[in-house]
Amino acid sequence: MTKRRINILAIETSCDETAAAIISDDLQVLASVVASQEKLHERFGGVVPEIASRAHVERILPVIEETLRGAELGLADIDAVAVANTPGLAGSLLVGLAAAKAMAVALDVPLLGVNHLQAHIYACRLAAGRDVFPCVGMIVSGGHSNLYRCLGPLDFELLGATIDDAAGEAFDKVASMLGLSYPGGPSIQRAAADGNPKAYRFPRALLKDKERLDFSFSGLKTAVRYAIAGPGRTDFSAVQLSRRQVADLAASFQQAVIDCLAGKAFLALKKTGLARLCVGGGVAANGPLRERLEADARRAGIELFVAPLQLCTDNAAMGAIAVERFKAGQFESLQLDVLPGVVRRKG
Ligand code: KG4
Ligand code: ZN
């Protein structure tokens, strides 16, 4: 008799996407559903935590049902339930965790925890279809810009992180200054396509510091503000930007972020002596960033894995990392709690 496949239901509600996926122990994604909340947060220019958690409550069960239908499986076919329990927004994480615990109890199957940041890197492993470890892992998302030494899928050592804003956060805030729609990353990328990346000389904080693997994007954001409003002025409500100015500001800003991300990622490779780079998170969807990393990797002889577009922004398919935990027997008790917040370097 052939061994029956193990099916893991993964739940992801760490920020503003309500997502579920079913992944088998041979890493096949049998179904993956993402209910985006973009429309709900659009007019605020960023995620409003209370709105996010309420929307998760409304959507979580329909999303799970749709995932089961997509995989053509019933509840009895689920062998374990996995849930992202860190990092993220407390209220959002709690909705996913409560749903996961309830299902694990009702189905009498094990509960698995997923670290959302490790999952973003595991998206590269999932897409590659082969081992990508050991590697340098770079997570560039709305909440994080972190570099890790990843010795295995569950063995991460933080090497550097942003000391203020995350890259995605900077994209979202600068987009709002330029009157571009939320989320800022895709709209800045679109506007920048017609712009000159050298039109404005924006700072590349910490890039010349070859000791540190940290990022800082808050000064860049302020520099864009001054470029719009005039030196030392913060109020630009009366300023009317031309299409050309918006394109040039977007392109110059995007280039500054790309220079910092690529510069530090390759510094991390040099410092660790590792020869593989895995990149995940929403900002990894950025076309010019992907092209730059590919060019730099080719030149440096580095094996590059960037998550495919649909696995960059938040999704539950990357919860496939739970397969590693299942195989390692790392099950959670019903005491499992959320560990909200963002991951920053101490000191
Ligand atoms: O990973 P993600 O979906 O959520 C978090 O875990 O934070 O990342 C969302 C972030 C947003 O800030 C969004 O503006 C950014 O990813 N993003 C992009 C692009 N697509 C999404 N940033 C730059 N270029 C893009 N094409
Ligand atoms: Zn994320």
Side-chain angles (χ1 to χ4, degrees):
M1 203 176 87
T2 52
K3 193 178 140 291
R4 192 174 82 77
R5 200 171 54 186
I6 301 290
N7 298 316
I8 298 181
L9 170 69
I11 295 174
E12 155 64 52
T13 61
S14 66
C15 189
D16 63 337
E17 322 284 354
T18 316
I22 297 171
I23 307 111
S24 58
D25 55 347
D26 55 353
L27 292 182
Q28 301 301 311
V29 180
L30 306 179
S32 174
V33 174
V34 181
S36 163
Q37 299 181 8
E38 266 168 28
K39 287 275 162 282
L40 298 179
H41 302 283
E42 198 171 21
R43 68 194 171 101
F44 303 102
V47 177
V48 183
E50 184 61 24
I51 293 177
S53 33
R54 282 169 191 262
H56 285 310
V57 171
E58 284 169 10
R59 292 162 188 214
I60 187 73
L61 295 180
V63 163
I64 291 172
E65 278 164 11
E66 192 182 329
T67 308
L68 284 163
R69 269 198 307 276
E72 295 181 9
L73 293 177
L75 285 171
D77 300 311
I78 299 301
D79 302 292
V81 182
V83 60
N85 70 315
T86 187
L89 299 169
S92 291
L93 290 165
L94 276 169
V95 177
L97 182 64
K101 282 183 182 176
M103 291 195 68
V105 171
L107 302 176
D108 193 20
V109 296
L111 178 69
L112 298 154
V114 165
N115 177 309
H116 178 81
L117 298 178
Q118 292 178 349
H120 268 305
I121 294 301
Y122 203 77
C124 298
R125 160 71 184 90
L126 186 63
R130 65 185 170 94
D131 199 12
V132 299
F133 301 99
C135 66
V136 164
M138 180 162 75
I139 294 137
V140 275
S141 68
H144 295 90
S145 303
N146 291 4
L147 280 163
Y148 291 88
R149 184 201 312 268
C150 311
L151 295 180
L154 303 171
D155 185 359
F156 278 42
E157 180 198 343
L158 187 62
L159 300 172
T162 183
I163 57 170
D164 38 57
D165 290 1
E169 193 179 352
F171 267 98
D172 294 335
K173 287 178 179 166
V174 167
S176 150
M177 287 184 217
L178 296 178
L180 299 171
S181 61
Y182 176 81
S187 49
I188 290 214
Q189 182 181 328
R190 270 194 305 276
D194 305 321
N196 173 7
K198 294 198 176 122
Y200 294 86
R201 287 178 60 82
F202 288 140
R204 273 94 169 131
L206 304 175
L207 186 56
K208 291 213 175 89
D209 185 337
K210 299 297 178 207
E211 296 307 312
R212 292 177 72 177
L213 291 170
D214 296 324
F215 303 98
S216 166
F217 295 113
S218 150
L220 170 60
K221 191 183 60 187
T222 308
V224 176
R225 182 176 283 274
Y226 288 160
I228 300 172
R233 295 166 53 161
T234 49
D235 182 15
F236 50 79
S237 48
V239 178
Q240 279 288 338
L241 294 172
S242 68
R243 251 184 93 93
R244 163 110 331 260
Q245 282 172 312
V246 170
D248 286 347
L249 284 161
S252 303
F253 160 78
Q254 180 176 262
Q255 191 58 53
V257 175
I258 291 173
D259 286 351
C260 294
L261 295 177
K264 291 296 180 191
F266 281 82
L267 181 61
L269 287 159
K270 196 168 156 202
K271 278 186 175 296
T272 56
L274 293 166
R276 287 172 177 161
L277 174 63
C278 286
V279 188
V283 182
N286 185 268
L289 171 65
R290 299 168 82 94
E291 285 164 23
R292 164 68 175 275
L293 292 170
E294 275 160 26
D296 286 1
R298 218 175 300 123
R299 206 172 310 121
I302 293 297
E303 208 178 350
L304 176 69
F305 302 89
V306 186
L309 289 183
Q310 75 279 11
L311 292 183
C312 283
T313 44
D314 288 347
N315 64 87
M318 65 190 191
I321 192 171
V323 170
E324 304 284 345
R325 287 198 183 265
F326 187 94
K327 288 182 176 167
Q330 293 179 2
F331 302 112
E332 305 294 339
S333 78
L334 290 175
Q335 304 302 315
L336 181 67
D337 205 350
V338 297
L339 209 67
V342 287
V343 176
R344 295 285 188 267
R345 233 151 57 87
K346 293 183 187 71

